[in-house]
Every structure is written in structure tokens, then in C-alpha cells.
Amino acid sequence: MTKPQLSAGGPTAVANAMRHAVTRMGVLKAFNALRTVNQFDGYDCPGCAWPDPDGHRSAAEFCENGAKAVADEAMTGLLDAGWFAAHPVDELLARDEFWLGQQGRLAEPLVRLPGAAHYTPISWEEAFARVGATLKGLPSPDAATFYTSGRTSNEAAFLYQLFVRAYGTNNLPDCSNLCHESSGVALKETLGVAKGTVTLADFAKADCILVIGQNPGTNHPRMLTTLQAAARRGCTIVSVNPLPEAGLTSFKNPQEVTGWVGRATPLATHHLPVRINGDVALLKGLAKEVFAAEAEAPGTVLDQEFLRTRTTGFEAYRDALARVEWEEIERESGVAAADIREVGRVVARSKRVIACWAMGLTQHENAVGNIQEIVNLLLLGGHVGREGAGVCPVRGHSNVQGDRTMGIYEKPPEPFLEALGREFSFTPPRRHGHDVVDSIRAMRDGTVKVLFAVGGNFLSASPDTGATERALRRCELTVHVATKLNRSHLVTGDTALLLPCLGRTERDVQSSGPQFVTVENSMGVVSASRGTLAPVSPALRSEVAIVAGVAEATLGKAPVDWSRLASDYGLIRAHISRVVPGFEDFSERAARPGGFYLPNAVRDARQFDTSSGKAAFTVHPVPRTAPPEGRFVMMTIRTHDQYNTTVYGMQDRYRGVADERRVVLVNEADLAALGLREGAPVDLVSHFRAPGAAAEELRTARGFRALTYPIPRGCVATYFPEANVLVPLDSTARGSNTPTYKSVQVTLRPAAAEG
């Protein structure tokens, strides 16, 4: 391990991006792929959902990790029948995710029959027929669950949820259940909209930006350009995170000369090293200092008119906050009161505040409360629904927000179902379906017998890897629509199908001609995406065509001619325009350079679609998060060489970790107290007691190395998904059912001797 870096970007980022691109795709293909990514006439990056600039595009409109995402999808090398004949599934199970992902693209549809050691080729028609026959033979539509990854286009997602509901179930789990579900629940309850309320233009007007539980340097690198512009004009940027991250310390913009030969631009003016899940306490401390500033200069800090006319619950919140003592805030946050007060004064004097966050807040038992405390803080100054201010949950997958807009949701709102039924002349099911965690439980219990997944890596992304594996093996059929091989494809039901699809980077030509799809970014912009590369295999089909093929094999032509919609995506968009508000004249508006903004009542009109018609303050207790003596609170994190479960390489450059992933980052004093040396081999054991249970559940992950790192005492960090085996299936966030990947109690033990 080397010393963690203090700056993100720069020439090293460019060199790594180009190395990945050329190694995976070759020089010519890399040039053709990267010159059109995120361009008006090109395709949307298959990585994160950070928005493109509204009015312009640079020649290189991508970041280091975006280039890795493109290279990973468009890599050369094909996994055909011969490759699978040479690699039995049991052999592949012994390989790690990195090796699997580097082998190449899936080239043709494949089946693994009951008891078979290998996947073997199958025709598209037979594959569709197998799925249709199995679905029609289930005792109930609710015996199947239909997962969606956030890289699925709007058109594919809409057609997919239409098929699933026409089939008769709302079992539509998606990757939102694992990441930002807590954000949607929290914001819907308090602001009436389950999305962010800012645009990129607001970042150019904010005078304070709070970045909480987020690592943009690795997970959303193009955000650094936005933060750099804000910092240069004097905006205060505050980092709240257990770990100091290079991407919030300073930034060398590779698109500037100074990014190559000059000094880095400092970004965060303040860093608050909060204990894992100490955010509620810290946010209450910030709010207490805002009230203190108002008491010193009445009428100058709180937005009294906004509070009086546009909010409810202010008095209850104020009174509850007054009872919270600074001693408790310091103890539970792990941050000195003086440091919290200093940042609180910054918030108090700021006229436009934006709060950004990611999974550092959303994956705790009290995750909904975490986010609602952010809302409380912003409401005090009226920092919602006006220029330069608002909430900004930063989404991961490039179209995870769009999939939810298209109806990928196990608890669909009644107006959406009414419009869908009216458009297609059928009665959609009303009973709520399974999210990811409930789908795993249902597979485990034998009530769900089929998993159909469009994209993603269901097994590796889910909690409690052992329980999820056992659940998948109980299925009659598992089906994955995918571009590349991952571990989910190897832990199968009795029968398994792999259906290879076009990537975002590839041209999509149907019988009516070339097609484009659309995506929605983190800030509600819907834009077109047109693949520019030749498909790597002539056997590939688009996600839309695969969904249509399965639907027709299952339902025939009811309630729509599926193959006709698959032949012309404009027909799908015409249906969307009549079902989903804000999509009027969809195809025409999407085809315009840059696309269009969806309406957002909070952002556009300061209207709150809550039960009271006002923004709601909420009251939450300060969580007691300190573990018992000898234990630690563990959070999972990503390396700089990965995106979600996709591992691009073995380097975590910014943190100084090289060539390994099974590591645990520990405070130096904690490691010494355990009597362990730097680099000591350890096993991790997680501890969980379910409500009402007599005994603790123990889960073990073996073969990690303990490395010292500047993390608060009592806290440790490990990489996702290697540590997911430690996350209990039944440890989830109240209100959202999101797994608690960031709040796992663990002990570190010297590694057990082999043999």
C-alpha cells in the first residue's frame, strides 16, 4: 500500500483511460467509440447518471471511468459455443468477477439444461418458447420476479413493465432497491417528489455545496468539473465522509493545460470525518448552529415566510432539536462540536445551498431519516425550489432514474396504473410486488420459481451472498439478458438461459430502420442515445426485441402487437407519451440536441405534492451506532477500478491500494489495539440479531488483509461485492427495505490457518 493521493484527475487519469480503451478495443475502435460518447449525435455513457452540459459538448465528453465503462462494454473477444464447451460452469465458479468480465462479449443465446455441466447454444425462438412455457405453467404470475438494471433504456423498461403487468404481477425489483430507494421514500414523504430538485445550472449559482456520503472522484468523475467551477468562484464545498477522498480534496482537470502542468484546484474547504452512520447527529448539529445564528440576528437566517407558508411540522422539529445536547452530537457523529459549528455557520450565512449525497447515506437502517435530516436543514433557509439550491441525490447507473419513471417499480402509483390500463385496454394488477430483498426471500421460500433479469449482476449486487445463492438454486428457471458474463449467470436455477443483447455503444437496426433509445439522467433530462459501433456478433438482439420476443411467446398478441413495437421504437414512445406525464411529443423532443427536462413541481413552481400540499419537517432520534466493545461498524465501498459489481482492474489508485481487493481499511490505533500488524491476514465475522431472535447470526468472509487508513476509530471499510457475504438479508432500511451495506457490525480475527 502507498500513501493515499490528494488529487484526482490529471495526466494519470488520461493515461489510464486510454490504456483501458486501447487494450480492450484496439486503437481504431477506441477512437470511434470515445469520439461519440455523450455527444448530441452519439450514445449516452453506459456508466454513471451525472448529466451532460445543457448547451455544449467538448470534444472529449467523458471521464476516466466513463472510458473504462465504454471499453468494458465494447471490448473485443467473443464467448461463443466453443468457449463455453471448454469451460464448465463449475470451473467458471472458481474464477473471480474480474476474470469473468475480461473474457469477452456473449455472442449467442445459451442454455444450461438441468444437470448439465456446460452452457450450450440455443436458438432465439426456442429460448423464447422455453421462457413462455415456463411462465404459463406457473401456479400464479406472482411466482416469477422480473429484475431490471439501471442501464436499461426507457423504451425497453416501458415495454418490460407492460409485459410483466400484462402477465399479471408487480414483481419488478430493480437496482434502485439496492441504492437510492431510501432517497425516493424520504423525498416523496417530505417534498412530494422522489427525485432531485436541481439542475447543473444551479451549481453555478450555489454559494454552499454539501457533499455527503459520496465519492465523486471515483463514482461520478464528471461531477468534479462542476465542483471545480464552483470552487473557483468562491463557493464553499463541504465534504462529509468517514474517509478523506482525493476527488473531494483537489482536482486536475485533464481538459485544461493547468490540469497537466499546473497545480490542482482545491475543492472541499471543509472535511467532516463523520463516523459511519453518524450523519443524523452531525446534521442536527449543523441545524442547531443555524438556529443559534438566527437567535443572534433574528430574521436574517431562517426563511420565515417560507417556513410559515410552505412547510408543516416546523415547531415540532425545532422543539425536538432543542432537546438534543452537543455531547450526544459529538459522541454519535465522532466530529468535534467546534468543527460542526464552523460548517453550521457557513450554512447559516449561505443564501443558496445544494446538498448532494449517494449511498453513504442510503444504506443504513435509518437511511430514510438520514435524508430527511438533510431536507430539514435545507428547509430552514428555504433552500428548496429556487435557483442555486435544493436536493441532489446523485444516481449511479445511467438510466436507473428513467427506469423508475417508466414504471419499473414494485409499488406502482395508482395514476400510473390507471393510465397504463386505459392505453392498452387491460386491468393491471394492483397488489404490490416484491423488491430485491423480498424476491430473494420468496425464492428462498419456494414461492418465486423464476428470476428474469434484464442486465445487472443480481447475485453479486445483492446482500447475504450465501443466502442469495441458495435462493437462486431453488428456482426452476433463471434468465439473464446480458452483454458479458458475470457470477449471476453461474449460480442458476434448474434451467438457465443467457440472452445476449446489444450494448449501449452498438448500432440498433430493426425492420423499420435504425433506432435510437432514450435515458434520463440524475437531474431529470431525457435525451436520445444512438449507438455508433457495429455489433460484436450478428446474433445479438436489442433489449427491446428480447422483451418483445418473450412477451409474445408468453402472451401472444395481447394486449399489444409486441413484434410491431419492437420493429419501431417510435411506436413505444408514442405510448409512453400518453401514459407518463411530461413525455408529450416524446420522439420529437428527445431527438433535439440535448433532449428535454421533465417537469419537476418543486423545482419549477415550488409546489409540494404531499398530503398537506407543503414541505414537511420530520423528527428523528439520533441513532446509537457505536458497536459493542471489540466490534467495528463496517461499510462497503468501491475501488477506483470498478463500477458497481463490474471490476475494470485491480487498482484503487486514489487510496493507494494496488493489486488486491480483499482488504479491510482500519484506523491505525484500532489495528494496534487488536495486536495486529500492517498487512496482517484476517477473517471478518459479521454479527446480526434479528428482532425477537434468541441468538446472533454469524457470517464469515475469509482471507482479507488489514491495512491502516485514516478512518474514524471503531469503523472499517471493505470492498463491494467481496464483503456482501457479511450483509444480513434481514438487515434493511426502515421504510425502503434497502440492505444495510454501510452498517454491518463485524469483528476482525487473525486468519484461520488453511487445512
Side-chain angles (χ1 to χ4, degrees):
M1 182 170 182
T2 60
K3 188 176 181 180
Q5 296 186 14
L6 300 177
S7 181
T12 305
V14 176
N16 274 278
M18 294 303 101
R19 178 175 58 83
H20 275 267
V22 172
T23 301
R24 303 288 187 269
M25 297 185 287
V27 175
L28 182 60
K29 189 174 184 180
F31 172 77
N32 288 331
L34 295 178
R35 70 181 178 84
T36 54
V37 62
N38 292 326
Q39 300 297 332
F40 289 129
D41 59 349
Y43 60 91
D44 184 71
C45 177
C48 80
W50 189 255
D52 302 318
D54 283 333
H56 68 281
R57 296 287 190 275
S58 64
E61 195 59 65
F62 57 89
C63 65
E64 174 189 353
N65 282 357
K68 292 176 185 175
V70 169
D72 190 73
E73 177 178 285
M75 70 190 312
T76 56
L78 292 178
L79 307 188
D80 55 14
W83 190 92
F84 278 97
H87 293 85
V89 170
D90 285 347
E91 174 196 308
L92 295 174
L93 275 169
R95 300 288 190 169
D96 60 27
E97 291 281 6
F98 176 57
W99 187 90
L100 293 173
Q102 298 309 303
Q103 300 312 299
R105 287 283 299 276
L106 296 170
E108 57 189 321
L110 300 157
V111 63
R112 185 189 187 192
L113 296 171
H118 296 261
Y119 274 102
T120 54
I122 186 174
S123 71
W124 281 106
E125 291 69 23
E126 186 181 352
F128 292 153
R130 279 185 175 272
V131 178
T134 302
L135 292 178
K136 287 186 286 188
L138 293 177
S140 162
D142 290 331
T145 195
F146 299 85
Y147 179 75
T148 316
S149 159
R151 282 171 59 171
T152 306
S153 70
N154 287 328
E155 289 75 9
F158 183 83
L159 201 67
Y160 189 48
Q161 65 81 32
L162 173 62
F163 156 57
V164 172
R165 293 192 166 104
Y167 174 61
T169 184
N170 281 314
N171 287 348
L172 281 160
D174 73 332
C175 56
S176 279
N177 299 150
L178 303 176
C179 55
H180 268 291
E181 196 69 57
S182 301
S183 298
V185 171
L187 295 177
K188 184 65 177 176
E189 290 177 355
T190 54
L191 300 180
V193 61
K195 302 180 181 182
T197 65
V198 298
T199 69
L200 270 184
D202 288 312
F203 281 82
K205 299 171 183 176
D207 48 16
C208 178
I209 299 172
L210 306 174
V211 185
I212 311 174
Q214 182 194 358
N215 177 18
T218 287
N219 297 320
H220 317 91
R222 286 204 296 161
M223 183 180 178
L224 299 185
T225 303
T226 302
L227 294 178
Q228 180 190 51
R232 284 176 171 173
R233 62 177 176 78
C235 177
T236 300
I237 299 173
V238 179
S239 165
V240 179
N241 201 310
L243 302 178
E245 299 287 10
L248 284 169
T249 304
S250 62
F251 176 51
K252 291 184 176 181
N253 190 336
Q255 301 208 31
E256 299 176 345
V257 174
T258 55
W260 290 75
V261 298
R263 293 183 177 180
T265 302
L267 295 182
T269 54
H270 302 75
H271 172 62
L272 300 179
V274 65
R275 290 182 64 251
I276 294 175
N277 201 23
D279 305 278
V280 166
L282 188 143
L283 289 162
K284 286 182 183 293
L286 297 179
K288 283 181 76 73
E289 197 60 19
V290 170
F291 275 103
E294 170 70 12
E296 293 170 8
T300 65
V301 178
L302 301 184
D303 189 335
Q304 299 287 358
E305 181 181 358
F306 175 78
L307 294 173
R308 183 176 61 257
T309 62
R310 303 272 187 159
T311 72
T312 61
F314 170 72
E315 291 80 8
Y317 168 74
R318 177 199 60 200
D319 295 345
L321 185 65
R323 293 190 292 271
V324 179
E325 301 293 338
W326 276 104
E327 179 184 3
E328 181 182 24
I329 290 171
E330 279 193 308
R331 182 182 69 247
E332 298 303 330
S333 70
V335 180
D339 294 336
I340 298 174
R341 283 173 166 154
E342 181 181 349
V343 173
R345 289 288 163 157
V346 171
V347 175
R349 65 174 176 263
S350 297
K351 302 304 179 185
R352 297 180 179 88
V353 180
I354 292 175
C356 308
W357 68 88
M359 286 178 282
L361 288 190
T362 65
Q363 295 176 330
H364 303 278
E365 184 179 0
N366 50 278
V368 172
N370 285 341
I371 294 144
Q372 291 184 340
E373 286 293 345
I374 291 178
V375 174
N376 289 337
L377 180 65
L378 295 183
L379 291 179
L380 293 177
H383 300 301
V384 177
R386 58 177 175 161
E387 288 188 336
V391 296
C392 182
V394 183
R395 306 307 297 264
H397 268 317
S398 61
N399 197 44
V400 61
Q401 186 160 296
D403 287 352
R404 184 57 58 87
T405 302
M406 292 296 104
I408 301 294
Y409 190 31
E410 74 280 357
K411 297 186 285 290
E414 183 60 27
F416 177 85
L417 294 179
E418 289 180 357
L420 189 71
R422 184 168 57 249
E423 176 69 10
F424 294 100
S425 301
F426 81 110
T427 303
R430 261 55 179 186
R431 182 174 57 258
H432 288 176
H434 294 318
D435 61 14
V436 170
V437 168
D438 285 338
S439 291
I440 296 169
R441 291 168 176 158
M443 287 186 283
R444 174 198 65 192
D445 297 340
T447 56
V448 160
K449 301 177 183 299
V450 172
L451 169 70
F452 192 106
V454 179
N457 187 344
F458 186 89
L459 169 62
S460 292
S462 295
D464 207 339
T465 310
T468 302
E469 286 189 357
R470 292 189 292 274
L472 289 170
R473 293 188 192 281
R474 291 205 67 188
C475 289
E476 292 180 12
L477 174 68
T478 50
V479 185
H480 293 274
V481 179
T483 57
K484 298 177 62 183
L485 189 66
N486 63 50
R487 191 168 181 83
S488 292
H489 308 151
L490 307 175
V491 178
T492 71
D494 295 336
T495 300
L497 288 165
L498 282 181
L499 307 181
C501 66
L502 294 171
R504 185 80 58 79
T505 57
E506 292 168 318
R507 293 192 294 269
D508 184 350
V509 180
Q510 302 298 325
S511 60
S512 68
Q515 306 295 312
F516 70 86
V517 295
T518 60
V519 294
E520 179 188 348
N521 65 37
S522 277
M523 296 179 188
V525 178
V526 177
S527 58
S529 179
R530 301 174 177 85
T532 58
L533 302 178
V536 297
S537 166
L540 303 183
R541 295 197 181 184
S542 71
E543 289 179 332
V544 170
I546 294 171
V547 170
V550 170
E552 191 159 300
T554 307
L555 303 175
K557 298 291 185 180
V560 68
D561 186 337
W562 304 98
S563 59
R564 180 168 176 266
L565 295 185
S567 72
D568 182 354
Y569 301 174
L571 299 175
I572 302 174
R573 288 188 287 272
H575 285 299
I576 294 171
S577 69
R578 294 188 290 268
V579 172
V580 185
F583 283 84
E584 297 78 14
D585 301 318
F586 186 7
S587 285
E588 177 185 344
R589 293 163 69 203
R592 297 171 187 166
F596 62 94
Y597 278 92
L598 289 174
N600 185 305
V602 175
R603 181 194 68 211
D604 301 337
R606 227 180 197 185
Q607 294 178 356
F608 304 99
D609 186 22
T610 61
S611 58
S612 67
K614 297 180 179 182
F617 280 92
T618 50
V619 176
H620 301 279
V622 176
R624 300 288 188 263
T625 60
E629 184 71 24
R631 295 185 185 179
F632 299 86
V633 179
M634 183 197 80
M635 65 176 183
T636 61
I637 57 177
R638 277 74 170 158
T639 75
H640 193 63
D641 257 0
Q642 77 176 98
Y643 189 75
N644 291 339
T645 60
T646 303
V647 179
Y648 303 133
M650 300 299 288
Q651 311 303 312
D652 196 0
R653 187 173 78 247
Y654 292 153
R655 298 192 184 104
V657 181
D659 302 322
E660 56 186 332
R661 293 183 54 83
R662 296 186 75 82
V663 301
V664 54
L665 307 182
V666 190
N667 183 282
E668 184 176 12
D670 284 333
L671 199 63
L674 290 170
L676 297 173
R677 67 185 188 281
E678 172 76 6
V682 296
D683 296 334
L684 305 178
V685 180
S686 70
H687 304 258
F688 174 70
R689 190 187 301 275
E696 282 191 330
E697 301 173 14
L698 302 180
R699 293 166 175 81
T700 302
R702 302 189 186 280
F704 283 69
R705 278 211 314 140
L707 304 178
T708 58
Y709 206 81
I711 186 172
R713 293 206 65 177
C715 302
V716 298
T718 52
Y719 292 142
F720 170 104
E722 285 81 359
N724 285 7
V725 65
L726 300 170
V727 183
L729 182 63
D730 293 327
S731 180
T732 61
R734 294 185 298 271
S736 70
N737 211 30
T738 295
T740 60
Y741 299 99
K742 298 291 191 290
S743 286
V744 182
Q745 282 195 17
V746 300
T747 50
L748 276 59
R749 301 176 181 175
E754 294 186 6

